[in-house]
Amino acid sequence: MHVRSFQLADYRPVTSLLETVLSEDCYELTMKAFGRQLSWDSELVLVAEEEDKVIGMIIGTIDNNRGYYYRVAVDPDYRKQGVGKELTRLLRQRFEQRNVTKIMVTADEHNEQILPFYESIGYASNDFFRSFQKLSIVAG
């Protein structure tokens, strides 16, 4: 597995992955945030690939010196193989390189079920930014 920054050629495979793993409402919300983040700072959108196939992605953002994991998605055929863990680890490195003061996990009604994953890699409930309204990501 190789993890790297998002590239324009990844757009179709990433959107296909998101369509596969997210609900319709979550997909629409995520695509809006995805577009905003790409226009602000594409280095905080990472893609995992295996043999030239996109198998996972993560969207992060920075706001007021805080890094946020916004959405992580992994192809169902590659789950439980460390893809999500590696994506979050490498995004954390990028946050740390930018001297963020705290890293948070964005928790909304669409990703409550993934919070145990974040707990399993060391995040606690006080690291969850709970947003049950429409999320508006602000560039930092």
Side-chain angles (χ1 to χ4, degrees), residues 1 6 21 29 35 49 53 76 110 113 135 139:
M1 173 180 59
F6 175 87
V21 301
L29 216 84
E49 61 183 359
K53 177 185 179 192
H110 301 294
Q113 70 277 7
L135 181 67

Side-chain angles (χ1 to χ4, degrees), residues 58-71:
I58 191 166
I59 302 169
T61 195
I62 297 174
D63 183 17
N64 294 325
N65 289 338
R66 287 190 172 169
Y68 293 88
Y69 297 117
Y70 174 66
R71 192 79 73 219

Side-chain angles (χ1 to χ4, degrees), residues 45-63:
V45 178
L46 302 180
V47 172
E49 61 183 359
E50 183 78 37
E51 297 177 10
D52 295 326
K53 177 185 179 192
V54 171
I55 61 169
M57 64 91 65
I58 191 166
I59 302 169
T61 195
I62 297 174
D63 183 17

Side-chain angles (χ1 to χ4, degrees), residues 87-140:
L87 285 164
T88 55
R89 185 185 74 77
L90 292 172
L91 185 54
R92 178 184 189 93
Q93 282 183 352
R94 292 192 182 194
F95 287 152
E96 290 170 350
Q97 290 168 352
R98 294 178 186 207
N99 300 314
V100 300
T101 55
K102 182 153 180 72
I103 298 174
M104 306 284 290
V105 176
T106 303
D108 61 22
E109 71 269 20
H110 301 294
N111 68 353
E112 276 288 305
Q113 70 277 7
I114 198 169
L115 298 183
F117 160 74
Y118 285 105
E119 290 171 336
S120 77
I121 60 172
Y123 291 90
S125 60
N126 62 341
D127 296 320
F128 300 151
F129 173 74
R130 296 192 182 272
S131 173
F132 292 96
Q133 304 171 13
K134 191 173 184 179
L135 181 67
S136 175
I137 299 176
V138 179

